[in-house]
Amino acid sequence: MHVAQSLQPERRLQRAAEPHAGGPAGVPSVTLNGFRDASSAPQGSASGVGGLAVPGRHAARDGLGNGVSMASSGLSLSAAWAGNCSASSSPGRRMASCPACPDASSGLYPRVYEIWPRVGGRNRFLCWGRCITGPRIDLWYNVCAWSFIVGPSAFYFVVCSPYLWREVSPYLPILTALVLISTIVFLLLTSCSDPGIIPRHSLQNLIVGLDEEVAQVTGVPPPSVDLETSEPVCELTEEQERQGCRWCQSCKVVRPARSSHCRDCDNCVLTFDHHCPFVNNCVGQRNYAFFSAFLVSTMCLGFAVVSGIAIWASHLGKHQEHEGVGRVWLWFILVALGVPLAVLLLGVLGLSVFHTFLVCRGRTTREALTGRVSIAGRTLCTLRGRSLIHARSR
């Protein structure tokens, strides 16, 4: 993250450029309402994040004259955690004993994805913070989706494709393989990409300039912070409410129009469409295009697999020496594979038609189901924008 520029007077942090007692040299500690650490601050002076004190931004408007001038300085995630851990550090105690402190050997502070359970929702990070997916409650739905894709496809390529390659055309298995690859790729992109999560207030406090970046992307200024409790205060204007902005009590942020709080992931998502347990992720501004491509690819894959199995089964029924055994085998195949494939095709076809209708009307799934539309606009052909999580920042 880049060092933040000077904040507006009513949004600035009170910070002290004192060296951290237990951390590396040159790392500043954080002043909470004029106190060096949480132990000397009055009760309620800092908001808690996972049991650790978090430095808050204090509004300059306190009713005294023209306000209190606040100083702005570069505060990194490392410095914030250093200030949080200074109160719990005792003489002779190793910094590595606290999960937020740097390792004694490397001196590195934790990344955002490592402390996400304290400052984020229920999403899980994979590949050391490079991928993000949904909560564990969607595991079996996701397994079901993969089974419907991999199972019939495996039967097609192992049993049917040799005959189709020799007797029909080699292009049929090749095209089916390409469609299968595209389906898997778009499923992984939908499942493992940030749908457009709006960082919580507690996370915005820990990363320099994140509040301004969120304000720039959402078009909503950062909320003011109460001087006594260090809690953000909702100050929505009538114009913002007419535009569809809402205050989220869980994330302590102002949601822009078309955004919503996902109860499954426990995060606010930009241009929230819906939470899909089968892809184990929310579908929002940054992965809606991947989700739409996944639906189209899955529909094409289903038709290709059904067509190939039907051609192979027709050949098997005509050339089976023992007709009784052949018909039993064919009926078993039709029941074991035909029913799941029929359900898959009907479901995907219905979803594809529904989302095509939504794209043409400029609506999201949530807007179509609830009937609450603040502003209309494109949902598919829009810029994804950059991720606001910065999972690998320190």
Side-chain angles (χ1 to χ4, degrees):
M1 293 295 299
H2 299 288
V3 178
Q5 299 176 354
S6 298
L7 304 177
Q8 298 177 359
E10 63 272 19
R11 315 263 185 213
R12 294 180 179 175
L13 276 169
Q14 290 181 330
R15 300 165 183 161
E18 302 174 2
H20 176 46
V27 178
S29 65
V30 181
T31 300
L32 304 175
N33 290 341
F35 296 88
R36 175 170 174 79
D37 51 46
S39 61
S40 58
Q43 185 177 3
S45 61
S47 36
V49 180
L52 297 176
V54 177
R57 290 190 302 273
H58 306 291
R61 298 189 301 271
D62 58 354
L64 300 177
N66 296 328
V68 182
S69 61
M70 304 294 180
S72 175
S73 61
L75 178 65
S76 64
L77 180 62
S78 306
W81 281 110
N84 293 333
C85 299
S86 61
S88 60
S89 299
S90 58
R93 183 178 180 182
R94 289 169 57 91
M95 290 286 290
S97 60
C98 175
C101 293
D103 183 29
S105 58
S106 63
L108 298 178
Y109 287 86
R111 300 183 187 273
V112 169
Y113 76 89
E114 296 173 332
I115 59 172
W116 180 259
R118 305 182 183 185
V119 295
R122 300 190 187 99
N123 297 82
R124 295 171 296 147
F125 286 93
L126 308 173
C127 300
W128 298 277
R130 292 178 175 86
C131 302
I132 182 172
T133 187
R136 296 185 181 274
I137 57 175
D138 295 338
L139 175 62
W140 292 111
Y141 294 96
N142 191 238
V143 170
C144 179
W146 280 101
S147 301
F148 273 76
I149 294 173
V150 175
S153 300
F155 180 86
Y156 174 89
F157 286 105
V158 172
V159 178
C160 305
S161 62
Y163 168 77
L164 298 175
W165 185 282
R166 294 191 312 267
E167 304 297 333
V168 182
S169 173
Y171 292 107
L172 188 58
I174 292 175
L175 291 177
T176 305
L178 294 177
V179 175
L180 174 62
I181 293 174
S182 66
T183 301
I184 294 176
V185 169
F186 285 122
L187 176 56
L188 290 175
L189 288 174
T190 307
S191 302
C192 300
S193 61
D194 173 22
I197 296 175
I198 304 175
R200 296 190 175 204
H201 175 75
S202 55
L203 179 58
Q204 295 185 35
N205 269 341
L206 294 179
I207 301 182
V208 175
L210 182 57
D211 53 352
E212 287 124 344
E213 184 179 359
V214 172
Q216 181 182 3
V217 172
T218 61
V220 179
S224 302
V225 178
D226 188 270
L227 286 172
E228 296 182 356
T229 63
S230 296
E231 290 292 331
V233 180
C234 175
E235 295 179 349
L236 286 178
T237 63
E238 294 183 1
E239 179 64 22
Q240 289 176 330
E241 291 183 352
R242 283 196 300 266
Q243 293 176 354
C245 297
R246 295 293 182 268
W247 173 256
C248 180
Q249 289 289 349
S250 301
C251 300
K252 304 297 183 183
V253 296
V254 177
R255 297 195 305 260
R258 314 192 81 179
S259 302
S260 182
H261 186 88
C262 176
R263 296 182 179 180
D264 296 310
C265 295
D266 197 22
N267 279 310
C268 290
V269 179
L270 294 169
T271 317
F272 178 78
D273 190 86
H274 69 287
H275 179 88
C276 182
F278 294 100
V279 301
N280 192 23
N281 205 352
C282 289
V283 178
Q285 176 177 306
R286 300 192 70 253
N287 64 349
Y288 186 77
F290 298 148
F291 178 76
S292 301
F294 165 68
L295 289 180
V296 175
S297 299
T298 305
M299 184 172 58
C300 295
L301 176 65
F303 281 115
V305 171
V306 168
S307 301
I309 293 178
I311 295 174
W312 172 82
S314 175
H315 165 76
L316 183 66
K318 292 179 180 179
H319 297 82
Q320 185 63 250
E321 297 181 358
H322 305 286
E323 293 184 1
V325 178
R327 290 181 179 179
V328 173
W329 175 245
L330 284 177
W331 277 108
F332 175 77
I333 293 176
L334 291 177
V335 172
L337 293 178
V339 173
L341 283 176
V343 173
L344 174 65
L345 279 178
L346 289 177
V348 173
L349 181 61
L351 282 175
S352 300
V353 173
F354 177 66
H355 280 277
T356 302
F357 171 75
L358 293 179
V359 169
C360 294
R361 294 197 60 192
R363 299 286 190 270
T364 64
T365 300
R366 181 175 178 274
E367 292 170 345
L369 297 180
T370 61
R372 295 194 297 267
V373 181
S374 55
I375 57 173
R378 294 180 298 178
T379 56
L380 180 61
C381 300
T382 57
L383 296 177
R384 295 180 63 224
R386 58 184 180 274
S387 176
L388 299 174
I389 298 177
H390 303 290
R392 293 184 57 79
S393 297
R394 295 186 183 273

